Amino acid sequence: MRMAMVGLGRMGGNMARRLLRGGIQVVGFNRTRAVAEQLAEEDGLIVADNLADAVARLDAPRVVWLMLPAGSATESHLDELIPLLDPGDVVVDGGNANYHDSEHRARRLADHDIEFVDAGTSGGIWGLDNGYCLMVGGSERAVRAIEPALKALAPAPDRGWAHVGPAGAGHFTKMIHNGIEYGMMQAFAEGFALLKGKQAYNLDLAQIAELWRHGSVVRSWLLDLTADTLAQDQVLADIAPVVADSGEGRWTAKEAIDQGVAAPVISMALAMRFASQDAEGYGNRVLAMMRNAFGGHAVEKK
């Protein structure tokens, strides 16, 4: 199989490497050419000068896999791609797109008889070695066309990837996946904060994290990563208490509102990330002012 990978950043680059190592020929295009040239030297990537060149190097039916930031970057590349493709070709969006956008893009490409697959991709920087979890939406025909690539990217050919539904279903499933991830991370963070706060016991957090990894009901890959970090540094003094949020956590919370489904853990985990980003802290200043106004409680001055 030969396919194109457009966008060779942290995720796209490692996915291209895993595909190449799995026997898939990959034509790669990246705005920064040096990145593609490094992959060519190290893993045998076929470097394309631009999108037109990438498409020209493929045989019909062509498969073009996009690993680009959600929104305008993906949309502009699609604008450029559509005139270059023929009926029966397949475009895969493996970025963290909003599933509503994926539904729209599938309809747009269908007007040109071009197939669209939305591939929700999980695995992060560990995917190169461990494989990626791929949640795939699209038609049966389109998914069959990219199946060799899915098998090469996944942890094993028979697991770690699935055709979960029509176009949009892949990114919807990944969105919910990330919402659950928010909640799990927040629970671990709160638990370890409580363990650290019990100073009378002088608990060894690295020991406890390692203990929980074996036989406990909370064992998980997130706990494995936490245990590895705490084994090196339990104080984390060099880490700023600021946690960024991706679009997918926000989209999951909005979906819960749209469906009228209670999702307090996910929603609160998202809110806690917002709180960590609030350098101004104006809301807390208002709270301090109100408490002083009705009860005369002291207000700390900045």
Side-chain angles (χ1 to χ4, degrees):
M1 180 183 180
R2 176 180 284 202
M3 57 178 284
M5 180 70 74
V6 178
L8 302 172
R10 184 172 55 186
M11 283 285 284
N14 277 347
M15 290 172 70
R17 290 184 191 276
R18 188 169 175 90
L19 288 165
L20 289 161
R21 296 172 188 180
I24 306 293
Q25 295 181 5
V26 181
V27 178
F29 170 63
N30 195 69
R31 296 289 190 191
T32 305
R33 185 181 176 88
V35 174
E37 290 177 343
Q38 182 179 352
L39 282 166
E41 180 180 347
E42 295 175 357
D43 291 278
L45 181 84
I46 302 166
V47 180
D49 295 328
N50 48 51
L51 278 180
D53 184 36
V55 171
R57 292 173 181 267
L58 303 177
D59 296 325
R62 304 173 185 88
V63 174
V64 180
W65 193 304
L66 306 178
M67 288 301 298
L68 300 166
S72 60
T74 298
E75 203 65 31
S76 64
H77 279 75
L78 281 176
D79 292 341
E80 189 175 347
L81 261 179
I82 289 174
L84 302 172
L85 299 177
D86 295 322
D89 290 345
V90 182
V91 174
V92 183
D93 182 3
N96 282 334
N98 188 301
Y99 78 95
H100 293 297
D101 291 339
S102 297
E103 292 174 340
H104 167 73
R105 287 165 184 157
R107 292 191 295 268
R108 181 184 177 195
L109 290 174
D111 290 340
H112 301 273
D113 294 321
I114 299 170
E115 296 277 4
F116 178 82
V117 173
D118 55 304
T121 307
S122 181
I125 60 175
W126 299 87
L128 174 59
D129 295 326
N130 299 337
Y132 298 88
C133 178
L134 297 151
M135 299 148 261
V136 180
S139 71
E140 291 286 349
R141 177 193 172 281
V143 175
R144 280 198 303 271
I146 67 169
E147 189 170 312
L150 296 173
K151 290 181 175 180
L153 288 168
D158 61 344
R159 64 180 184 273
W161 70 274
H163 183 194
V164 298
H171 281 149
F172 180 81
T173 304
K174 176 58 164 46
M175 179 186 77
I176 303 303
H177 165 282
N178 279 28
I180 293 170
E181 177 186 296
Y182 273 47
M184 292 174 66
M185 291 174 70
Q186 183 66 29
F188 274 123
E190 292 175 9
F192 279 100
L194 288 168
L195 290 169
K196 186 176 186 300
K198 194 66 173 177
Q199 296 181 4
Y201 288 162
N202 193 28
L203 297 171
D204 184 336
L205 303 190
Q207 177 197 50
I208 293 170
E210 182 62 27
L211 169 67
W212 285 352
R213 291 183 61 220
H214 306 281
S216 86
V217 296
V218 298
R219 63 188 184 274
S220 66
W221 187 46
L222 285 174
L223 181 59
D224 294 342
L225 297 174
T226 303
D228 289 343
T229 299
L230 292 176
Q232 303 298 320
D233 177 13
Q234 294 190 35
V235 179
L236 306 179
D238 293 335
I239 306 297
V242 178
V243 187
D245 67 285
S246 69
E248 301 219 347
R250 301 185 185 208
W251 300 337
T252 305
K254 290 177 181 177
E255 182 68 25
I257 293 170
D258 291 343
Q259 291 192 24
V261 172
V265 172
I266 294 172
S267 299
M268 186 57 70
L270 175 64
M272 290 301 294
R273 295 198 181 192
F274 293 161
S276 80
Q277 300 165 24
D278 184 12
E280 177 66 20
Y282 184 76
N284 288 333
R285 298 182 194 198
V286 174
L287 285 173
M289 173 273 296
M290 287 189 290
R291 190 166 178 264
N292 173 262
F294 72 71
H297 301 286
V299 174
E300 291 188 22
K301 298 296 183 179
K302 188 175 180 181

